[in-house]
């Protein structure tokens, strides 16, 4: 099963994608994570991606799609995947359909997680992430975090460079799911929406029931 999660930065795609992938036994593919891993490893791709990520801009389609196609060749994707942060525009959506068709698959379900800009800004500007396991914590400005470690694994907590308020604004401007992409999925009868301003468990429950409806199980 291939599931696409759409939503503004801060909508909760990453959190939900991890849970759904585990629940469904499919891969979790997050293009942002792939770019960050490349940047950490200092690859050419990573260096290029960083120049866009630092400004809150999208990395060009050609580079992003090539990276995604390579990721789809890995064996853990054979039962499908939850796509988190890809596609971000119509060209990417079409490229995903084509790539999955080459593997005898297609997109089964697309869910748009909706949150207001205010909520997204509030979440991203207070977000701390575990370097080791990716767990997410929220701390209001001024609330001590120095030295605090991850509750799950003891890993170090950090704030993403692009979660700085000035970059967050530009990400929200340039990275909302565009209408032509939403129409593309709507016309295929695949698009569902969920209110992302509920707690994590409530959003997960709605997502799981949306998937069950699709598969009738
Ligand atoms: P994310 O972790 O999904 O917030 O992505 C972090 C950054 O990676 C984004 O701000 C973009 O610069 C880049 N990025 C991630 N996914 C894509 C994509 N599908 N297309 C273009 N750029 C992307």
């Amino acid at each position: 099963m291939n599931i696409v999660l759409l939503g503004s930065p801060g909508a909760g795609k990453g959190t939900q994608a991890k849970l759904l992938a585990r629940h469904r036994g499919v891969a979790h593919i997050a293009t942002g994570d792939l770019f960050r891993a490349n940047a950490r490893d200092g690859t050419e791709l990573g260096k290029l991606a960083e120049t866009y990520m630092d400004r809150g801009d999208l990395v060009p389609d050609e580079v992003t799609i090539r990276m995604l196609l390579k990721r789809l060749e890995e064996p853990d994707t054979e039962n499908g995947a939850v796509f988190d942060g890809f596609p971000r525009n119509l060209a990417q959506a079409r490229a995903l359909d084509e790539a999955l068709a080459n593997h005898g698959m297609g997109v089964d379900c697309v869910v748009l997680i909706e949150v207001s800009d205010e909520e997204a800004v509030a979440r991203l500007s207070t977000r701390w992430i575990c370097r080791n396991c990716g767990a997410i914590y929220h701390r209001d400005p001024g609330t001590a975090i120095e030295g605090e470690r991850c509750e799950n694994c003891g890993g170090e907590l950090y704030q993403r460079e692009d979660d700085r308020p000035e970059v967050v604004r530009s990400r929200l401007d340039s990275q909302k799911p565009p209408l032509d992409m939403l129409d593309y999925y709507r016309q295929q009868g695949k698009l569902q929406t969920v209110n992302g301003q509920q707690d994590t468990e409530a959003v997960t429950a709605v997502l799981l029931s949306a998937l069950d409806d699709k598969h009738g199980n």
Side-chain angles (χ1 to χ4, degrees):
M1 183 173 208
N2 289 293
I3 304 154
V4 169
L5 293 189
L6 303 175
S8 292
K13 300 187 293 297
T15 303
Q16 296 298 336
K18 254 185 231 132
L19 293 166
L20 288 187
R22 201 174 321 135
H23 191 269
R24 286 275 157 172
V26 297
H28 170 206
I29 300 184
T31 39
D33 288 349
L34 295 175
F35 284 133
R36 277 185 292 278
N38 272 279
R40 224 175 11 250
D41 295 345
T43 68
E44 285 306 312
L45 172 72
K47 284 182 205 152
L48 174 75
E50 247 175 340
T51 62
Y52 294 91
M53 294 167 83
D54 287 350
R55 294 195 302 261
D57 291 339
L58 289 180
V59 179
D61 284 348
E62 196 241 323
V63 176
T64 308
I65 291 170
R66 196 161 2 104
M67 178 178 74
L68 182 91
L69 296 183
K70 196 159 152 238
R71 177 67 183 86
L72 282 175
E73 294 305 323
E74 290 176 29
D76 66 330
T77 63
E78 75 184 12
N79 293 326
V82 180
F83 294 89
D84 157 15
F86 188 98
R88 268 180 158 95
N89 59 35
L90 183 57
Q92 294 185 4
R94 292 206 162 109
L96 179 61
D97 278 346
E98 204 177 303
L100 291 176
N102 288 336
H103 290 80
M105 296 192 281
V107 169
D108 298 284
C109 185
V110 181
V111 184
L112 171 66
I113 307 177
E114 293 184 305
V115 294
S116 68
D117 283 4
E118 291 68 34
E119 176 74 15
V121 171
R123 286 184 187 179
L124 295 177
S125 55
T126 58
R127 176 164 82 168
W128 290 76
I129 305 169
C130 171
R131 239 182 243 295
N132 184 43
C133 73
I136 292 175
Y137 297 86
H138 289 279
R139 293 290 178 275
D140 289 331
T143 313
I145 194 118
E146 285 315 318
E148 189 180 334
R149 313 291 292 192
C150 176
E151 281 169 23
N152 300 332
C153 71
E156 182 199 1
L157 305 184
Y158 78 106
Q159 282 188 295
R160 270 172 51 172
E161 272 296 303
D162 59 352
D163 280 348
R164 282 177 291 125
E166 60 280 19
V167 186
V168 164
R169 275 286 159 203
S170 112
R171 286 164 67 202
L172 282 174
D173 288 343
S174 66
Q175 300 192 22
K176 287 215 179 81
L179 292 180
D180 58 356
M181 179 176 74
L182 296 179
D183 281 343
Y184 177 74
Y185 286 130
R186 197 176 286 121
Q187 279 159 15
Q188 297 175 42
K190 291 180 180 167
L191 183 67
Q192 309 196 46
T193 57
V194 52
N195 171 8
Q197 299 198 186
Q198 322 171 63
D199 56 34
T200 305
E201 293 74 22
V203 176
T204 310
V206 177
L207 284 169
L208 289 176
S209 80
L211 302 187
D212 287 348
D213 283 352
K214 275 276 159 195
H215 266 211
N217 59 19

